């Protein structure tokens, strides 16, 4: 990163000069440099759970354990009652919500790799599809219940993650991304060609998870998955493992000489994030009831990636939050302008481009710099949870 | 007699060689580092000093030869294992974790470089390290905002955080003014005071002469001298190859090697 | 008309078969214009359901059209794989769907496994390949018998797009070929997006394959196949079933399509020719009798069904439409033929024995075999229709 | 007056480093800037070379206002900059790097002459003509950077810490080669940490501290200044 | 002549040596085993791939943009060629003796190149430029995402404006296919190969031996350094992007006879070009050309011995294998740069 900065100094300077003229950016810049690390070190180093402190409520303990802030918790509660609030009680909106929650969960798993060890797993959708196929084939050929199938799918995808993690070990940056991309392409090719097993592009019809027309059970299932995955990922990155992730993501040599075994952490990261994708793939298959190799397509990864990046990388929650409005806007445009097919994609592309140019930090960055630290104490508690005395 | 000598030996290399394609960057270098040593590694640019360190610490494993650390053959072990065994290093071009705060950068080594459970309070330990190297900035500053000199301090703190027995320093003092050299000298003395042996690559003879007790000089990847600092510094081979004359280096070096054999 | 009926038109409007989607769209718009989008006191509102040629995407688009747009009935479709998937959705939501084209056996097998459940997937628009595709072989074997064609050896290769359709047509060719003593050199199914066939064709050339039988619903793939077939210098007889599924095939293949066999219905009546002219005037392309023509007939037959339903029940919704479909169409009571204005086939007629396919016969639904030369097609089979004899490539 | 810097303000983003720095360099002069780490020496050089847009003040070269000109135009006017980071083309050979240094010289023969001049100065470079710059050691790269700077036959050369990371022997070589340049009529503005050495070879010195010029004068006088002695020379 | 045996031995032991030797062996074996058309097909497919891959390499090497939208410039080229050549071909049909029979296709192909370049310049002005001016932090990832957005945008704009149908032509140049070593090859293919060969050669020459070419490479390695030696990098950036997109455009244009133009047509050349670029190592033009032939060989041999449709799985699996052993690609240098981050 430093290198790139050096590469274009004239431009950089120009923009810096611009910022210099406006006091607003000056402030934000300052708060930026302060903020980023504080929240990190707070999260990791200074657990609020110190013995003997009496002022901590059960809620705080709960929040600390699950990695939520009060506002986040409120969001989850909102999601839980969503199917009963008009207009969201309509089946088709529920269908969108399910898709949004699915993408949200995917983005959590994706960000777990991209945002922490700094490797974009470009074959993420393929891994997801792999899990879906595993579970579906088990259900179809062996009559296995989707509940177990999904878990086996997750396990199977975890093995895949292990392999990707192993083979991409010596690669960095864009090379590792390409490797996982090619891996995904090969996987998709296999799904296309192994017709006897997957029915290829003909589409594998999969038993649905709940034999009901209603979307509600699926909705709750995906929300549970989303929340569980978030808590799990958050728990991992808050632990010392997260520190190791960041270290190997930012400087492999320095991390190694500091005693971090990159093989273990990298492979662990891939394994976990791929396992999550596999589980989600199983859900996807048993919800939409049909699988084609198309689910493994790069464009699916791109969709997840766009959500994760617009949400803000390295935050886990950014993508999960932004997925809902994002998918909704896209779907509304698509369904109202169905005579102009692709217009929603044009808008989505322009949105992605604008965000990347003008706000590459994404939503979580915006939130952290502009919303997170209001003067009002109660509001601050609401947004951040209990703060440590140290900060 | 022999035994006691062995105890004193911290690190040994035997015929350590590293080749890049056709180029032999380090050529059969054997050396010994004793407990309490501050050994200076000198040599012209491109002599293979950094490569030598990389080969020992495992970042760029040697092509042949052995590394023996406290009597154990550690050749080719990956850097993370070396770190846990007690070998730390800083980088010539310091490269900490750009998006981490200073304290977090140090914490990585505190947490992962020490046997699990030995450090009760990693934050306090890391903070101590920063204080130890007299890190001039707030511990919350993000690494990418530091300048080279500050980065070097941070890198040193990181290297020390894993409680090493041997510390390799690659051009820690480059770019420092004479006044600042005094500070770094003090820190180096403090490090030795903790019983850590040091092998430092440095071009600033002033510093070398001030803090080192022994010197190792290599040229074209080949060792040309090793021993007490004054001995080496006054060795005509060293003065010719490194400190002085400006004649055709390569021929001279070959002659020297020939003379040696 | 103060009441509205929303119908979903399922088709590949984007994706690799978008050309066909375009023809569907034109047909539907023209048919709707003709009835001013009204049936009885109902305003008909069309909801485009884009399958993107992918079964998974099609299923969720269809489900969404049901849940979100409230379509009460559906019509048309192109791919078998999509049909197989959407059948389940239609059954799940109890939406009657008419005239989906997905032709292959998989559709029939699935339908026959549970006719009750899949009664929502009404009369198919295209019969299983076995009923029509074998005709090529019959026609060619006749040519060998009467000495017009003298292949060096009876070695044939089968190729096709990797879809239910391609595989099922391939199976039909294989059956017919093996039955009449041909040896099969290979069976190759390729992705619908493939456009480079040099390696494959060179292989055929080396092996001395005399007959190539295959199909693809993807125009770029099939036109590329035909073009490269002639470039590589293959002298075999080529069956490229579906080349004519886009009206502009000659613009894309040129003289490479000479001597190629295809089976496409023809615009034989003045009404049919007028229809083609209208489409060209209005939409600016030459419609294919298969994609455009059949879909035009299909939507019109569907409108006839709606009228009948309205007449019978006074109300248009998924239940009444389904009832009429089962009672009238599937039993052969309601047919659609020349007198109703059908432009392609003599009559679209279903009965309980052939369901879900229609009756295939020369007075009902039938495709002649054509051979192309200089952009013109001549019928070479069946004997009663033929205008000239099969002519082997020189 | 070859170079004249008037009340230069410069910095990065909102962070101002230089405050009203004024400097003058005459043709043929050998001037140095000394100062502690982070004083803004490199920032001054970057501003003159056009890599950094000044926030205020004026820079004149040969009487011409070059304030805010892009770097490539400054180079074309005859100012060469050997930066601290070297900014070599890591995937090009030594030879190609040198050729790039002569980018502003279009005459092939002149390019060749310069190349030989540089190879004479640094025989090590001649030995490694086809080695990729990125695989060279730190010191070798430094030589290459200086060599490349000399390739454009500049009137004024800005040299930022040439001895950084160099072996003593090579430091000598570098200073000697700068001497040769001076003798060839090139004007040099040097930034160095090696204050003793620098003050002993240059004509005139500026002492920069906290972004301000604290002291200036003949190098020998500066070297004898008691404050400088105390702070920089550690005496 | 003086032959350096040691150097040759060293080369043969290097990754490049081994893979090239194996490739030649495989090509020879397949040719003897299956016929000369294997070789002919490889050469022709490779020539086309080389064109797309060099453009991608350039973009990656000079601007550090991991281009995901490269296929869309291919698509723009073919679209232009279609709309230029269709009236020409209608005219030719009416006047078969016109000089346009020969020149017409050339006009279409040249214009496809121009349109590629223009599209590239517009993208730079509207998309990459603004990002570069705002911030170059995390450039590789951010610019990559921009290209993802650009790709989606261009595909759907094509669909919205020109429709999703296939816009193809019968052929560029008429006449009988040419027979080479027992394989027939259409004139269009031969011309496409010649065009790609010529352009790749000119391009390589330009990059290696001209002053501007060297300046482009210099910017790719250190932009500050380039400014210091007197290069106007804004011009170089613009030139590079125009060149790279023009290469993709001309590839699309000259292949129109084979790949009709439609919105998502760019995906396959994109994948293939990425295979080539990663396989051969970033920013290495000659390497990309060699890599293009290797990937082409892999593809042809796969279809020959394993079957149609596998020409995606087998090459990508093999490339992954190679990457495991030679992470920087076959011809890649060991020097690591920004793209590693
Ligand atoms: N990855 C590599 N590939 C090829 N050659 C290399 C590589 N790394 C180093 N070298 C070469 O090995 C030799 C030794 O380099 P090294 O970096 O160890 O020198 P050094 O003694 O540290 O020099 P300095 O004091 O300038 O840092 C140099 O000639 C260098 O060009
Ligand atoms: N790109 C940059 N962005 C922000 N601040 C910077 C940047 N470059 C330098 N600085 C800051 O500007 C100040 C002056 O830097 P400068 O490099 O000019 O110092 P110097 O006198 O050359 O010191 P040194 O001896 O370390 O080279 C330092 O505090 C440094 O941290
Ligand atoms: C003849 C066509 C309607 C066949 C269709 N493509 C299918 O898959 O069945
Ligand atoms: Mg070194
Ligand atoms: Mg400096």
């Amino acid at each position: 990163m430093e290198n790139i900065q050096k590469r274009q100094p004239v431009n950089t300077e120009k923009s810096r000069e611009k910022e210099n003229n406006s006091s607003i950016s000056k402030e934000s810049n300052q708060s930026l440099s302060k903020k980023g690390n504080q929240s990190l070190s707070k999260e990791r180093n200074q657990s609020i759970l110190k013995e003997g402190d009496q002022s901590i409520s059960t809620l705080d303990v709960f929040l600390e354990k699950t990695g939520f802030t009060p506002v986040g918790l409120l969001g989850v509660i909102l999601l839980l009652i969503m199917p009963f609030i008009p207009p969201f009680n309509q089946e088709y909106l529920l269908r969108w919500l399910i898709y949004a929650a699915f993408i949200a969960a995917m983005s959590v798993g994706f960000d777990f790799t991209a945002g922490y060890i700094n490797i974009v797993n470009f074959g993420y959708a393929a891994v997801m599809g792999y899990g879906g196929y595993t579970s579906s084939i088990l259900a179809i050929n062996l009559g296995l219940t989707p509940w177990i199938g999904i878990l086996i799918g997750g396990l199977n995808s975890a093995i895949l993650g292990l392999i990707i993690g192993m083979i991409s070990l010596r690669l960095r940056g864009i090379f590792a991304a390409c490797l996982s991309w090619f891996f995904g392409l090969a996987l998709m090719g296999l799904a296309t060609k192994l017709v006897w097993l997957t029915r290829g592009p003909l589409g594998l019809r999969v038993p649905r998870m709940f034999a009901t027309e209603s979307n509600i059970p699926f909705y709750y299932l995906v929300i549970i998955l989303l929340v569980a995955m978030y808590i799990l990922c958050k728990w991992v990155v808050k632990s010392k493992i997260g520190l190791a992730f960041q270290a190997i993501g930012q400087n492999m040599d320095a991390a190694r000489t500091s005693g971090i075994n990159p093989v273990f952490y990298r492979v662990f990261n891939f394994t976990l994030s791929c396992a999550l994708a596999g589980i989600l793939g199983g859900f996807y298959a048993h919800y939409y009831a049909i699988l084609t190799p198309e689910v493994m397509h790069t464009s699916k990864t791109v969709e997840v990636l766009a959500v994760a990046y617009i949400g803000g990388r390295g935050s886990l929650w950014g993508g999960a939050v932004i997925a809902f409005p994002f998918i909704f806007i896209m779907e509304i445009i698509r369904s109202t302008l169905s005579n102009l097919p692709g217009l929603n994609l044009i808008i989505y592309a322009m949105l992605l481009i604008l965000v990347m140019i003008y706000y590459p930090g994404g939503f979580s960055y915006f939130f952290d710099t502009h919303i997170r630290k209001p003067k009002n104490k109660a509001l601050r508690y609401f947004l951040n949870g209990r703060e440590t005395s140290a900060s | 007699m022999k035994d006691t000598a062995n105890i004193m030996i911290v690190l040994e290399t035997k015929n350590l060689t590293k080749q890049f394609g056709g180029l032999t960057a380090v050529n059969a270098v054997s050396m010994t580092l004793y407990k309490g040593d501050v050994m200076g590694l000198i040599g012209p640019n491109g002599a293979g000093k950094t490569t030598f360190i990389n080969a020992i610490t495992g970042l760029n494993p040697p092509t042949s030869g052995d590394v023996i650390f406290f009597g154990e053959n550690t050749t080719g072990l990956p850097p993370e294992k070396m770190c846990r065994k007690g070998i730390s290093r800083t980088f010539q071009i310091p490269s900490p974790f750009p998006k981490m705060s200073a304290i977090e950068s140090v914490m990585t080594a505190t947490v992962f470089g020490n046997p699990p459970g030995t450090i009760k309070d990693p934050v306090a330990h890391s903070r101590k390290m920063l204080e130890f190297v007299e890190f001039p900035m707030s511990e919350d500053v993000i690494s990418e905002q530091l300048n080279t000199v500050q980065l070097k301090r941070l890198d040193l703190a990181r290297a020390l955080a894993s409680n090493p027995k041997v510390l390799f320093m690659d051009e820690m003092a480059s770019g420092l003014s004479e006044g600042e050299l005094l500070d770094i000298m003090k820190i180096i003395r403090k490090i030795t005071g903790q019983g850590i042996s040091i092998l430092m690559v440095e071009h600033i003879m002033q510093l070398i002469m001030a803090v080192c007790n022994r010197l190792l000089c290599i040229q074209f990847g080949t060792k040309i001298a090793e021993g007490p600092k004054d001995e080496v510094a006054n060795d005509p081979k060293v003065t010719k190859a490194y400190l002085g004359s400006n004649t055709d280096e390569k021929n001279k070096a070959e002659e020297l090697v020939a003379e040696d054999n | 008309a103060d009441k509205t009926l929303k119908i979903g038109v399922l088709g590949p409007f984007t994706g690799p078969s978008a050309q066909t989607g375009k023809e569907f769209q034109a047909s539907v718009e023209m048919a709707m214009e003709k009835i001013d989008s009204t049936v009885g006191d109902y305003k008909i509102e069309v909801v485009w359901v884009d399958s993107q040629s992918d079964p998974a995407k099609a299923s969720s688009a269809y489900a969404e059209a049901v849940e979100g747009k409230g379509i009460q009935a559906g019509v048309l479709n192109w791919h078998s794989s999509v049909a197989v998937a959407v059948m389940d959705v239609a059954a799940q939501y109890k939406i009657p769907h008419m005239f989906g084209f997905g032709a292959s056996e998989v559709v029939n097998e699935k339908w026959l496994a549970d006719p009750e459940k899949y009664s929502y997937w009404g009369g198919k628009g295209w019969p299983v390949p076995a009923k029509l595709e074998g005709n090529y072989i019959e026609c060619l074997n006749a040519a060998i018998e009467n000495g017009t064609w003298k292949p060096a050896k009876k070695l044939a290769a089968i190729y096709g797009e990797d879809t239910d359709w391609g595989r099922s047509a391939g199976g039909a060719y294989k059956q017919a070929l093996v039955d009449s003593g041909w040896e099969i050199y290979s069976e190759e199914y390729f992705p619908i997006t493939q456009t480079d066939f040099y390696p494959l064709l060179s292989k055929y050339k080396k092996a001395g394959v005399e007959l190539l039988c295959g199909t693809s619903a993807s125009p770029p793939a099939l036109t590329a196949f035909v073009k490269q077939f002639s470039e590589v210098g293959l002298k075999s007889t080529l069956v490229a079933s579906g080349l004519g599924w886009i009206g502009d095939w000659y613009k894309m293949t040129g003289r490479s399509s000479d001597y190629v066999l295809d089976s496409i219905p023809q615009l034989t009546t003045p009404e049919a020719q007028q229809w083609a002219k209208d489409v060209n005037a209005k939409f600016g392309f030459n419609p294919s009798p298969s994609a455009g023509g059949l879909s035009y007939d299909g939507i019109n037959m569907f409108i006839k069904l709606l009228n009948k339903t309205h007449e019978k029940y006074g109300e248009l919704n998924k239940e009444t439409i389904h009832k009429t479909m089962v009672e009238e169409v599937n039993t052969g009571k309601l047919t659609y033929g020349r007198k109703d204005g059908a432009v392609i086939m003599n009559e679209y007629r279903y009965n309980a024995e052939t369901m879900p396919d229609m009756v295939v016969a020369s007075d009902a639904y039938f495709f002649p075999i054509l051979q192309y030369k200089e952009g013109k097609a001549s019928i070479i089979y069946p004997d009663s229709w033929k205008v000239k004899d099969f002519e082997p490539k020189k | 007056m070859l170079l004249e810097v008037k009340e230069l303000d410069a910095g990065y983003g909102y962070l101002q480093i230089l405050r009203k720095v004024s400097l003058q360099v005459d043709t043929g002069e050998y001037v140095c800037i000394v100062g502690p780490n982070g004083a803004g020496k490199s920032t001054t050089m970057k501003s003159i070379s056009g890599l950094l847009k000044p926030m205020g003040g004026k820079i004149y070269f040969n009487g011409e206002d070059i304030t805010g000109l892009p770097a490539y135009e400054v180079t074309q006017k005859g100012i060469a900059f050997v930066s601290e980071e070297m900014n070599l083309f890591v995937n090009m050979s030594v030879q190609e790097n040198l050729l790039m240094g002569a980018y502003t010289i279009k005459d092939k023969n002149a390019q060749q002459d310069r190349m030989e001049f540089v190879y004479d100065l640094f025989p090590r470079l001649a030995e490694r003509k086809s080695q990729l710059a990125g695989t060279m050691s730190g010191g070798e790269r430094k030589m290459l950077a200086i060599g490349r700077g000399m390739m454009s036959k500049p009137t004024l050369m800005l040299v930022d810490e040439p001895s950084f990371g160099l072996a003593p022997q090579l430091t000598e070589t570098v200073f000697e080669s700068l001497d040769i340049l001076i003798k060839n009529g090139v004007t040099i503005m040097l930034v160095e940490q090696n204050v003793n050495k620098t003050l002993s070879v240059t004509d005139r010195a500026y002492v920069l501290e906290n972004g301000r010029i604290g002291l200036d004068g003949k190098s020998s006088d500066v070297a004898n200044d008691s404050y400088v002695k105390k702070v920089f020379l550690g005496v | 002549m003086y032959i350096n045996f040691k150097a040759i031995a060293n080369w043969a032991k290097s990754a490049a040596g081994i893979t090239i030797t194996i490739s030649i062996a495989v090509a020879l074996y397949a040719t003897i085993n299956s016929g000369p058309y294997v070789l002919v097909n490889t050469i022709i497919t490779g020539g086309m791939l080389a064109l797309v891959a060099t453009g991608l390499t350039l973009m990656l090497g000079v601007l550090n943009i991991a281009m995901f939208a490269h296929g869309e410039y291919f698509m723009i080229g073919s679209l232009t060629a279609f709309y230029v050549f269709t009236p020409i071909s209608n005219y030719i049909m009416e006047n078969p003796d016109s000089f346009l029979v020969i020149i017409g296709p050339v006009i279409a192909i040249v214009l496809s190149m121009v349109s590629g370049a223009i599209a590239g310049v517009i993208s730079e002005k509207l998309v990459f430029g603004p990002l570069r001016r705002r911030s170059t932090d995390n450039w590789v990832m951010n610019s990559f995402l921009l290209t993802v957005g650009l790709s989606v945008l261009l595909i759907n704009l094509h669909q919205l404006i020109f429709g999703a149908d296939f816009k193809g032509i019968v052929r560029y140049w008429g006449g009988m296919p040419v027979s080479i070593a027992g394989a027939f090859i259409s004139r269009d293919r031969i011309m496409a190969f010649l065009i790609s060969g010529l352009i790749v050669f000119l391009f390589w020459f330009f990059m290696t031996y001209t002053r501007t070419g060297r300046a482009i490479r210099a910017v790719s390695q250190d932009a500050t350094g380039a400014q210091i030696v007197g290069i106007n990098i804004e011009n170089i950036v613009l030139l590079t992007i125009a060149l790279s997109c023009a290469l993709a455009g001309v590839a699309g244009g000259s292949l129109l006879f084979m790949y009709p133009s439609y919105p998502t047509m760019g995906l396959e050349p994109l994948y293939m070009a990425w295979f080539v670029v990663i396989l051969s190592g970033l920013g290495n033009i000659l390497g990309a050309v060699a890599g293009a032939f290797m990937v082409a060989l892999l593809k042809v041999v796969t279809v020959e011995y394993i079957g149609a449709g596998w020409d995606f799985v087998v090459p990508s699996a093999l490339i992954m294998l190679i990457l495991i052993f030679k992470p920087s690609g076959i011809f890649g240098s060991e020097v690591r740069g920004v793209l590693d981050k």
Side-chain angles (χ1 to χ4, degrees), chain A residues 261-295:
Chain A
N261 179 352
V263 180
F264 174 77
Y265 289 102
R266 215 161 138 167
V267 171
F268 172 76
N269 184 300
F270 267 99
T271 309
L272 182 58
S273 97
C274 288
L276 299 185
I279 290 174
L280 287 168
F283 169 82
Y284 185 94
H286 294 289
Y287 172 57
Y288 289 102
I290 178 153
L291 272 185
T292 53
E294 204 55 16
V295 294

Side-chain angles (χ1 to χ4, degrees), chain A residues 6-7 10 15 305 309 313, chain E residues 133 142 145 220 223-224 227:
Chain A
K6 278 183 205 152
R7 281 177 178 239
V10 166
S15 67
L305 175 147
Y309 274 69
R313 65 200 102 169
Chain E
R133 276 189 291 280
N142 288 351
L145 287 168
S220 84
T224 308
Q227 286 176 297

Side-chain angles (χ1 to χ4, degrees), chain E residues 120-323:
Chain E
V121 169
I122 294 176
S123 323
E124 161 65 21
K125 290 274 178 210
L126 293 184
V127 178
F128 300 118
L131 175 63
R132 198 176 294 113
R133 276 189 291 280
R134 278 193 71 82
S135 157
T136 46
D137 282 5
N138 215 347
W139 167 260
V140 177
M141 242 6 253
N142 288 351
S143 66
F144 166 71
L145 287 168
L146 277 188
T147 68
V148 170
L150 204 58
S151 156
V152 178
L153 184 74
L154 290 174
I155 288 176
N156 289 287
L157 276 180
H158 176 146
Q159 170 161 320
L160 203 63
I161 299 171
F162 302 99
D165 52 330
F166 293 86
K167 299 168 263 296
I169 58 166
V170 179
R171 64 164 63 86
Y172 277 130
W173 286 278
M176 283 305 292
V178 181
S179 160
I180 298 175
F184 284 92
I185 299 141
S186 75
R187 281 158 195 255
D188 284 355
R189 280 188 177 229
I190 291 178
M191 288 304 286
F193 172 68
L194 291 181
I195 290 171
S196 67
L198 180 73
I199 292 178
V200 167
F201 173 77
L202 286 180
F203 177 68
W204 169 79
F205 184 87
F206 169 77
M207 290 296 285
T208 316
Y209 293 111
T210 66
R211 188 164 165 269
T212 318
R214 225 179 287 121
I216 292 181
R217 284 191 295 142
V219 175
S220 84
Q221 293 166 31
D222 195 310
T224 308
Q227 286 176 297
I228 291 177
V229 299
I231 297 170
N232 179 350
I233 58 167
E234 303 216 348
N235 287 348
I236 294 291
V237 164
L238 213 57
L239 176 71
T240 305
I241 211 158
L243 256 177
S244 144
C245 295
L247 286 177
V250 77
S254 59
L255 293 184
L256 178 65
F257 68 92
M258 177 170 162
Y259 299 112
S261 186
Y262 66 95
T264 52
M265 73 178 306
L267 283 181
E268 183 158 355
L270 176 79
Y271 294 160
M272 285 298 164
W274 267 102
F275 280 179
V276 172
V277 168
I278 292 293
L279 178 72
S280 50
L282 303 182
N284 181 339
I285 292 162
L286 273 187
V289 174
F293 286 100
M294 284 182 199
V295 171
L297 177 71
L298 216 53
K299 223 178 117 132
V300 171
V301 168
T302 304
V303 172
E304 176 70 28
Y305 294 108
I306 300 179
W310 288 97
D311 49 347
F312 228 57
V313 182
V314 178
S316 54
L318 253 174
I319 288 167
M320 281 190 297
L321 260 182
I322 292 177
L323 274 186

Side-chain angles (χ1 to χ4, degrees), chain B residues 13-160:
Chain B
T13 65
K14 290 191 176 146
N15 292 325
L16 204 68
T17 301
K18 174 75 195 176
Q19 291 172 318
F20 294 107
L23 180 83
T24 307
V26 174
N27 187 7
V29 173
S30 304
M31 65 107 199
T32 315
L33 188 71
Y34 295 93
K35 192 161 169 60
D37 260 357
V38 180
M39 184 188 266
L41 174 53
I42 55 173
N45 296 112
K49 303 181 294 295
T50 304
T51 312
F52 183 62
I53 296 186
N54 284 349
I56 296 176
T57 54
L59 262 184
N60 225 334
T63 323
S64 66
D66 290 310
V67 178
I68 293 157
F69 183 57
F70 281 106
E72 179 190 353
N73 191 327
T74 59
T75 321
L77 283 188
E80 57 272 17
K81 291 233 173 82
M82 288 297 203
C83 171
R84 294 236 199 94
K85 289 196 182 300
I87 293 185
S88 272
R89 67 163 300 174
T90 66
F91 290 87
Q92 181 170 6
I93 298 155
S95 46
F97 311 106
K99 304 275 174 203
M100 284 192 197
S101 64
I103 182 101
E104 277 182 316
S105 305
V106 180
M107 273 233 309
T108 53
T110 310
V111 172
F112 295 98
N114 290 300
T118 46
I119 305 290
K120 286 274 152 351
D121 187 348
V123 183
H125 183 262
S126 308
R127 206 168 276 151
K128 214 172 74 196
M129 291 300 136
L130 284 175
E131 277 158 23
F132 186 86
V133 301
E134 290 159 24
F135 184 65
M137 311 281 284
S138 140
E139 64 176 39
D140 279 337
V141 69
I142 301 279
S143 308
E144 61 182 352
Q145 296 168 343
L146 300 175
N147 67 23
T148 317
V149 175
Q150 294 157 345
L151 283 174
K152 286 196 164 166
R153 287 279 168 97
L154 181 57
D155 208 25
L156 182 59
R158 181 194 58 71
L160 288 171

Side-chain angles (χ1 to χ4, degrees), chain D residues 41-42 84 160-161 191:
Chain D
K41 305 181 294 294
S42 302
E84 216 171 354
D160 197 358
E161 304 208 16
V191 164

